Amino acid sequence: MIHPNAVLHESVVLGIGVEIGPFSVIDENVVIGDFCKIESHVRIHSHTTLGKHNHIYHSAAIGTDPQHITPDMVPTYLTIGDHNIIREYVTLSRGSLKGGPYTTIGDHNLIMSYAHIGHDCLVGNHTIISSGVLVAGHVEIEDYVVIGGAAVIQQFSKIGRNAMVGGSSGVNQDVVPFSLVSGTPIRYGGLNVVGLRRAGLSSEKLKEIKTIHSILLRKGLSLETATKTIEEMPPSEYVMNTLNFLNKSTRPLCRRAK
């Protein structure tokens, strides 16, 4: 159902069962997938694509221009997957030419009110980004990450899967998968045991991840030595995930313990 007071450009592509509330404005070259619900006063800017079953609450701004001083002379894009909840006053920027030019949000994410995700970010699946979180450009957030309220993520940072960032933290380093970090600057607070148990990991798998963390974060080894030691462990999903993260990390790792 499209409210008569909503304004849609003639080029907008709508799936089946889409609801759009009053005073929402949707620009050209936007695709909205099946069964999405767009509440009132939402602005969806051009070159934005939404998958299926997304719920965008009122006054969110989706697909805004990248917030940088150099204008992009060709289109850039925002792509959002399926089953996402985007709450009130959230702002999501499109990508930039420097970033590929995409900002990408995966599936089953909860982005709470007043959060901002900047240009060229890559957000995985099943994340929770709490109210007031500010994510700068070129940040990568892997699957099952939880970020507490009012945290600030510096540009080009990476947060590994199943990590948790405490509220009001200032993330200025890469966060190793399965970590619990908090503070400004952030410090390592141990394994995200609660989050991993909620994800259904067995005691045996938790023990394996704890061993990886001990090598990487607790033994005082150089990063090169720690990486080689992890490479010598029996292959597993968690070993490979950690090694892949280390290979793509471009910033210092958060290895400082509380």
Side-chain angles (χ1 to χ4, degrees):
M1 181 180 74
I2 312 301
H3 195 279
N5 287 331
V7 179
L8 280 66
H9 190 274
E10 62 183 9
S11 66
V12 172
V13 177
L14 299 177
I16 62 173
V18 171
E19 299 179 38
I20 301 177
F23 307 109
S24 287
V25 177
I26 303 179
D27 291 346
E28 71 274 18
N29 299 312
V30 169
V31 177
I32 299 178
D34 298 346
F35 304 107
C36 286
K37 183 175 182 179
I38 313 298
E39 294 195 3
S40 68
H41 298 87
V42 171
R43 180 69 184 273
I44 302 181
H45 294 258
S46 60
H47 302 292
T48 295
T49 299
L50 278 71
K52 301 177 181 179
H53 296 280
N54 294 294
H55 187 173
I56 301 179
Y57 284 73
H58 72 80
S59 302
I62 309 300
T64 61
D65 290 342
Q67 297 188 38
H68 56 63
I69 61 175
T70 305
D72 294 315
M73 305 308 294
V74 299
T76 59
Y77 304 92
L78 169 65
T79 301
I80 299 173
D82 304 331
H83 297 280
N84 294 288
I85 298 173
I86 299 172
R87 294 302 303 255
E88 298 85 355
Y89 298 98
V90 165
T91 56
L92 305 177
S93 297
R94 297 193 310 277
S96 70
L97 288 180
K98 186 176 181 180
Y102 288 92
T103 298
T104 303
I105 311 292
D107 305 328
H108 297 280
N109 298 292
L110 170 58
I111 305 175
M112 297 186 191
S113 57
Y114 292 95
H116 169 74
I117 296 178
H119 57 86
D120 306 301
C121 288
L122 176 60
V123 178
N125 308 306
H126 300 280
T127 69
I128 298 176
I129 299 175
S130 301
S131 296
V133 169
L134 302 178
V135 181
H138 305 278
V139 168
E140 182 173 346
I141 300 171
E142 293 188 345
D143 297 348
Y144 296 99
V145 166
V146 177
I147 303 178
V152 179
I153 317 299
Q154 192 175 73
Q155 63 266 29
F156 295 99
S157 297
K158 294 179 175 60
I159 302 177
R161 65 168 297 163
N162 291 94
M164 181 171 183
V165 177
S168 301
S169 296
V171 176
N172 60 346
Q173 296 176 312
D174 286 351
V175 178
V176 174
F178 321 112
S179 294
L180 179 65
V181 301
S182 63
T184 303
I186 54 169
R187 292 185 178 273
Y188 172 70
L191 200 64
N192 182 20
V193 175
V194 173
L196 292 170
R197 285 176 176 165
R198 287 175 178 172
L201 271 69
S202 66
S203 297
E204 182 179 346
K205 292 178 179 178
L206 285 172
K207 184 177 180 180
E208 179 185 355
I209 296 171
K210 186 175 181 180
T211 299
I212 295 170
H213 269 227
S214 178
I215 294 169
L216 185 60
L217 301 167
R218 291 190 176 278
K219 290 189 174 182
L221 303 174
S222 69
L223 182 57
E224 180 180 5
T225 300
T227 301
K228 288 182 179 179
T229 304
I230 294 170
E231 288 173 343
E232 294 170 356
M233 294 179 64
S236 73
E237 172 187 355
Y238 308 105
V239 168
M240 294 308 300
N241 183 268
T242 302
L243 292 175
N244 289 338
F245 184 87
L246 295 176
N247 286 335
K248 68 182 180 181
S249 176
T250 57
R251 297 175 58 80
L253 296 179
C254 179
R255 304 176 78 192
R256 297 168 298 181
K258 291 183 177 180

